[in-house]
Amino acid sequence: MVQVVNAVGGGELGVELQLDKLLADSSFEYSYESGDSMAYVTISGDLPTVTLFQSGKYSIAGGNSVSQLFEVDGMFRDKVSEITDFSLESTPEFEIRYLVGIGELGNEVDLSIIFKELPSDKVEYEPEQFPGLFYRPSKETTITVFSTGKVSVNGPRSEEALQKEFTRLKDKLDNIQR
């Protein structure tokens, strides 16, 4: 089983913003230097952070699930609508950009054996540089495997795809270690 530890998504408001004015009139908690073209905004201290750009584009990072990202997106857009007179209902949809999940294989693994058995164009292992093995089963996904059996899956856009990538890896490793 893989647990989502970071979910990242983004969208755009469809309008250029004056960040100075928007933030001064808001109840957002934020980090912003006057004149910058971006700000870090939080709705509440325990929710993911919104990186808001002057262009009206934004990213939300730090969610623990896809549903939490959509919840924060709705709250963020509602607050911006309250502060401004923008109608945000006709703007492009919010999208999930990638998820990061952590899983356990349930046993220790020999990374040098795995390195030899996986396709050479999809695997990288340099133990003198980094203690984990990188496996790229697709352009969108990178999996990091540690000898302890801990695994990080990075890139899928849904929790189902994240779990599927972990299960595929676990099945491959089970076959290699037999």
Side-chain angles (χ1 to χ4, degrees), residues 47-173:
L47 291 175
T49 299
V50 179
T51 304
L52 177 60
F53 297 90
Q54 184 175 332
S55 66
K57 294 182 180 182
Y58 62 96
S59 295
I60 302 175
N64 58 21
S65 68
V66 169
S67 61
Q68 186 185 44
L69 281 187
F70 280 102
E71 178 185 339
V72 170
D73 178 59
M75 293 166 61
F76 170 71
R77 293 169 71 87
D78 287 348
K79 280 193 175 261
V80 170
S81 288
E82 288 172 15
I83 298 165
T84 66
D85 57 357
F86 304 139
S87 171
L88 300 178
E89 294 175 21
S90 63
T91 60
E93 291 292 314
F94 180 77
E95 68 178 5
I96 300 303
R97 296 200 174 132
Y98 67 91
L99 302 176
V100 177
I102 301 293
E104 272 286 341
L105 295 172
N107 57 293
E108 290 189 0
V109 292
D110 186 333
L111 298 179
S112 59
I113 291 174
I114 295 168
F115 176 69
K116 293 174 188 170
E117 295 294 325
L118 291 174
S120 63
D121 62 329
K122 295 184 179 216
V123 67
E124 185 180 325
Y125 179 53
E126 296 182 37
E128 51 289 326
Q129 300 294 320
F130 185 75
L133 176 142
F134 296 103
Y135 175 53
R136 293 178 181 82
S138 68
K139 286 183 178 184
E140 300 82 28
T141 303
T142 299
I143 301 173
T144 308
V145 182
F146 296 92
S147 62
T148 60
K150 292 192 187 290
V151 175
S152 171
V153 182
N154 305 279
R157 293 178 180 224
S158 73
E159 293 178 41
E160 297 79 25
L162 194 72
Q163 183 61 47
K164 191 174 185 178
E165 290 291 352
F166 177 78
T167 301
R168 280 188 193 151
L169 173 75
K170 188 167 177 18
D171 291 347
K172 276 184 191 272
L173 296 183

